[in-house]
Amino acid sequence: MSEMAKNLILWVIIAAVLLSIFQNFKEGPTPPTMSYTNFVDEVQNDRVRSVIIGGQIIEGEHHDGTRFRTVRPDVLDTGMMKDLLNHSVNVEGREPEKSSIWMQLLMAAFPILLILFIFMFFMRQMQGGAGGGRGGPMSFGKSKAKLLSEDQIKTTFADVAGVDEAKEDVGELVEFLSDPSKFQSLGGRIPRGVLLSGPPGTGKTLLAKAIAGEARVPFFSISGSDFVEMFVGVGASRVRDMFEQAKKQAPCIIFIDEIDAVGRTRGGGYGGGNDEREQTLNQLLVEMDGFEGNDGVIVIAASNRPDVLDQALMRPGRFDRQIYVGLPDIRGREQILKVHVRKVPLDESVDLHVIARGTPGFSGADLANLINEAALFAARSNRRLVTTEEFEKARDKVMMGAERRSMVMSEVEKTNTAYHEAGHAIVGRLTPEHDPIHKVSIIPRGRALGVTQFLPEEDQYSMSKRKLTSQLCSLYGGRIAEELIHGLDGVTTGASNDIERASQLARSMVTRWGLTEKMGPILYGDEESAMPGQGGKNFSGATSQLIDEEVRLIIDDSYARSTTLLKENIDILHAMKDALMEFETIDAEQVDDLMERRAVRPPRDWHDSDFDHSSGGTGASSDADVEAEVSKTDVDKPDAPIGDPVEGS
């Protein structure tokens, strides 16, 4: 019997009981009441025609037709009947009312029924109320999965952009859920599970919703952390309950977000084999591929760390498909932008392709945030349309932090920052294969005193040794500019972040990427894949010394090249400093003027209809094979305590 039917029957019974009680106590209009003394006077004065005596209640009628009512005192009164008869009063007796056997039983059982009803009410409240028994203190073993019916899911593949390959991989699931006979006739079976992996914000949850929306099937959504409780066995009970609900709704989809919270490799020293998390994982393994079949139930899981999942969970039969949802390329970013700007009024000057080129490494969530920030900037300026200027401000805010124009900088410090950023820009402009300059600014942003932004012209998936060396040269350009202007004693701590990034980059060139002849293409230490507490060093002390020497050689060579370039173009260094002091921010076109020793043109007018959207050298980069990706923005900040996060794009 359904929960709604049970509730209906309960309320019908309650209504019947209340109606019977009201009917039993229903009475007509009550006549006026007089005292017993007045009643005796009325009788003795021959004003009473008749009376009806029922227990202690006496109802009567005067000779003029008016009715009255009185209560006889609870004392022995033997003279009342004699007076009534002597004064010719018609006396009648009222038979005591007797309730039916059913009413007697009801009245006797009413206290018990009331206590039972109160007990049932509180038990239902403790189990989570009338909405299915979820979330109450007595529902430890109940699944916390949220069920969305096919009518509640409005997301389709049209709302998912930038992941075309992933959409193709999951397209068969939609066909199978819509028409399973097409595949079953050839001996195919529906996949039991699909694992979506990839960086945060790439649209894994959105893609799972789109699958359910396209297939028009129920959708159960739950997080991996919702299974695990402090009580052993609760997680396993929730897994069983969730699959029991799913079987009743089949065909359907179960979506488990952040499955690594419960699906990590067993036996990792987290309480042996009897802890709550491992029992939950064991139950999940049994439900996905045990003795009982789960036909029509597809499990879709999402994780940012598939490498930590248990191998038994990853095998075919449980997760038959593993789909990587990566960061979108330039074409994917443009598609994502088109989806998110549907409800945003754009100015004609906005070119989404240019914005896509200028957002390297942005995920779908980052792009949505970018559009929202641009809309907020436009609203603050009381504009009805979002222009290119707002998108530029939003991108700078997302990548480099908000402007701190209220920060007071002395003229000396501002001049030093201008020389520092000019050094980055000039070296980056003159070294081979370096990404083009997009913007140079001495406006403080976040923790940075100034920024030099480089953006590639097209997507990049690897970097050559020549390009990496150019990156090293430009990183040291700011410090060298300070040294040339103020001498070694005048160098500030503003290059601390540059030195840190350059050191990491040079060491990776030696130990991970095999870009030196002496050390060769050998991996020296794999700290990321090492087990906790074991470290990643797998080479001798002599090898460590050679690595240090090679790193120092690369850095010294890059430092010397940067010094030579800046000395040969010291006039440009001074001119760029002057331009930054005047305009605070210069773009690629103004940098070109300075490099060609021409007069610097005024800042770009973003609202000019003749603006060339193809200029500026904006672009995108993913550098997928370079795990320690070099930031495309040189962010210079004051020296900070060790352990502070490194800022960058």
Side-chain angles (χ1 to χ4, degrees):
M1 184 180 296
S2 66
E3 197 72 24
M4 183 178 295
K6 293 179 181 178
N7 292 333
L8 182 61
I9 293 174
L10 178 62
W11 285 110
V12 168
I13 294 174
I14 294 174
V17 171
L18 295 176
L19 183 62
S20 300
I21 294 174
F22 292 153
Q23 287 286 351
N24 186 58
F25 292 104
K26 185 176 180 181
E27 297 180 354
T30 303
T33 303
M34 68 171 58
S35 67
Y36 188 73
T37 301
N38 292 337
F39 167 69
V40 173
D41 290 341
E42 293 289 316
V43 171
Q44 293 177 353
N45 293 326
D46 296 326
R47 295 194 186 102
V48 178
R49 176 188 297 172
S50 62
V51 294
I52 300 174
I53 302 175
Q56 299 296 114
I57 305 299
I58 300 175
E59 294 183 2
E61 183 180 357
H62 292 100
H63 286 287
D64 59 2
T66 60
R67 298 186 61 81
F68 65 89
R69 183 174 182 271
T70 188
V71 180
R72 185 175 63 177
D74 191 13
V75 294
L76 183 61
D77 185 4
T78 57
M80 183 185 67
M81 289 300 299
K82 183 182 294 185
D83 288 342
L84 293 173
L85 295 175
N86 290 337
H87 291 278
S88 302
V89 177
N90 183 32
V91 180
E92 296 180 12
R94 177 174 293 171
E95 182 181 0
E97 293 184 2
K98 294 183 179 180
S99 58
S100 65
I101 184 64
W102 295 108
M103 184 58 62
Q104 294 179 25
L105 290 175
L106 180 62
M107 295 301 295
F110 181 75
I112 300 176
L113 293 175
L114 181 62
I115 294 173
L116 182 61
F117 172 77
I118 295 174
F119 176 76
M120 291 175 60
F121 174 78
F122 280 106
M123 286 298 297
R124 291 170 64 81
Q125 291 297 318
M126 294 179 68
Q127 293 177 355
R134 301 283 178 257
M138 299 295 291
S139 61
F140 296 117
K142 299 295 184 181
S143 170
K144 293 185 177 182
K146 298 178 181 178
L147 172 61
L148 299 177
S149 65
E150 51 268 30
D151 297 330
Q152 293 177 287
I153 303 175
K154 307 299 182 182
T155 306
T156 63
F157 283 152
D159 301 312
V160 183
V163 287
D164 294 340
E165 294 80 4
K167 286 165 62 174
E168 292 178 3
D169 288 338
V170 301
E172 290 183 5
L173 295 180
V174 176
E175 294 186 29
F176 210 118
L177 290 169
S178 303
D179 185 16
S181 59
K182 174 182 177 181
F183 298 88
Q184 292 172 349
S185 62
L186 299 176
R189 64 173 179 83
I190 191 170
R192 296 181 183 271
V194 176
L195 177 65
L196 304 177
S197 62
T202 51
K204 299 182 289 294
T205 303
L206 185 65
L207 184 60
K209 275 190 176 182
I211 297 173
E214 291 283 346
R216 309 292 295 171
V217 296
F219 183 83
F220 289 87
S221 176
I222 192 171
S223 172
S225 60
D226 288 335
F227 289 114
V228 183
E229 288 279 358
M230 62 180 294
F231 304 101
V232 176
V234 172
S237 175
R238 289 177 177 174
V239 172
R240 287 191 295 269
D241 184 67
M242 181 180 67
F243 275 89
E244 287 177 3
Q245 295 180 53
K247 291 175 186 176
K248 297 176 182 178
Q249 300 284 343
C252 67
I253 292 174
I254 296 177
F255 176 64
I256 306 176
D257 198 9
E258 303 295 345
I259 193 175
D260 47 284
V262 69
R264 286 179 175 265
T265 302
R266 292 168 291 181
Y270 302 100
N274 295 318
D275 71 326
E276 166 67 355
R277 184 186 58 81
E278 292 195 4
Q279 286 199 28
T280 305
L281 175 58
N282 292 336
Q283 185 63 42
L284 182 61
L285 297 175
V286 172
E287 291 291 343
M288 289 190 68
D289 189 19
F291 286 102
E292 296 184 6
N294 289 322
D295 294 336
V297 178
I298 299 178
V299 178
I300 301 179
S303 174
N304 302 325
R305 293 290 308 277
D307 54 301
V308 303
L309 297 179
D310 194 278
Q311 292 300 314
L313 188 65
M314 302 288 286
R315 72 163 176 82
R318 292 195 173 105
F319 283 112
D320 301 285
R321 295 187 180 181
Q322 299 181 27
I323 300 175
Y324 181 76
V325 185
L327 294 172
D329 56 14
I330 182 173
R331 186 171 61 88
R333 291 195 296 274
E334 185 176 357
Q335 294 174 353
I336 294 173
L337 288 170
K338 290 180 179 178
V339 171
H340 288 297
V341 299
R342 291 174 180 172
K343 298 181 180 180
V344 178
L346 299 181
D347 186 75
E348 295 180 355
S349 65
V350 177
D351 189 342
L352 295 181
H353 180 71
V354 174
I355 298 174
R357 290 172 57 195
T359 50
F362 275 43
S363 65
D366 294 329
L367 294 171
N369 184 42
L370 173 72
I371 294 173
N372 182 63
E373 290 289 346
L376 294 178
F377 274 120
R380 291 171 195 163
S381 302
N382 297 320
R383 291 176 179 165
R384 294 186 299 174
L385 300 176
V386 182
T387 66
T388 304
E389 180 181 2
E390 281 75 49
F391 277 102
E392 281 288 322
K393 291 180 179 179
R395 182 179 60 182
D396 291 344
K397 181 179 180 180
V398 172
M399 297 177 69
M400 298 173 287
E403 291 184 359
R404 293 190 297 165
R405 291 188 177 272
S406 60
M407 181 178 179
V408 179
M409 293 177 60
S410 65
E411 196 68 18
V412 174
E413 192 166 15
K414 191 173 181 181
T415 301
N416 187 72
T417 302
Y419 274 120
H420 188 106
E421 299 305 327
H424 284 310
I426 293 172
V427 175
R429 183 71 163 73
L430 296 175
T431 50
E433 296 187 16
H434 200 287
D435 295 327
I437 295 174
H438 175 65
K439 183 183 298 183
V440 185
S441 176
I442 59 172
I443 299 175
R445 287 183 175 274
R447 295 176 56 209
L449 298 180
V451 292
T452 301
Q453 188 176 5
F454 300 94
L455 291 177
E457 295 179 335
E458 58 185 11
D459 286 343
Q460 298 178 357
Y461 303 98
S462 62
M463 290 196 289
S464 65
K465 179 180 179 181
R466 184 182 299 107
K467 184 177 181 66
L468 292 170
T469 304
S470 297
Q471 295 274 8
L472 283 173
C473 292
S474 65
L475 284 171
Y476 283 116
R479 174 188 167 89
I480 295 171
E482 293 184 24
E483 185 177 340
L484 291 177
I485 300 301
H486 305 294
L488 187 59
D489 293 337
V491 174
T492 68
T493 60
S496 60
N497 181 233
D498 299 329
I499 295 173
E500 180 182 355
R501 290 162 54 197
S503 301
Q504 293 175 350
L505 178 59
R507 186 165 294 275
S508 295
M509 292 173 65
V510 176
T511 61
R512 298 176 60 194
W513 302 327
L515 297 179
T516 60
E517 295 182 3
K518 183 177 291 187
M519 304 310 299
I522 301 175
L523 177 65
Y524 297 98
D526 190 6
E527 296 181 359
E528 293 189 2
S529 62
M531 293 297 292
Q534 296 183 1
K537 187 175 180 179
N538 57 0
F539 47 86
S540 65
T543 302
S544 179
Q545 183 177 355
L546 290 175
I547 291 173
D548 292 340
E549 292 175 356
E550 286 295 294
V551 171
R552 183 58 185 266
L553 183 63
I554 293 174
I555 290 177
D556 288 346
D557 180 66
S558 300
Y559 202 91
R561 290 179 57 191
S562 297
T563 304
T564 301
L565 289 173
L566 287 178
K567 285 183 177 179
E568 293 175 351
N569 297 275
I570 192 71
D571 58 326
I572 298 178
L573 181 64
H574 290 298
M576 191 171 295
K577 182 269 299 183
D578 294 337
L580 287 171
M581 294 294 291
E582 179 181 358
F583 302 118
E584 290 189 331
T585 300
I586 58 176
D587 56 24
E589 295 175 350
Q590 293 170 300
V591 172
D592 290 340
D593 293 338
L594 291 165
M595 296 305 297
E596 296 177 10
R597 295 176 171 83
R598 296 196 305 257
V600 181
R601 69 189 72 182
R604 178 185 303 169
D605 183 6
W606 295 104
H607 301 283
D608 187 0
S609 59
D610 297 330
F611 166 59
D612 181 9
H613 299 288
S614 63
S615 63
T618 57
S621 171
S622 59
D623 297 334
D625 296 336
V626 184
E627 297 180 19
E629 180 182 357
V630 179
S631 173
K632 296 300 178 294
T633 303
D634 289 323
V635 180
D636 303 294
K637 59 175 183 280
D639 196 14
I642 296 176
D644 281 7
V646 178
E647 296 186 4
S649 61

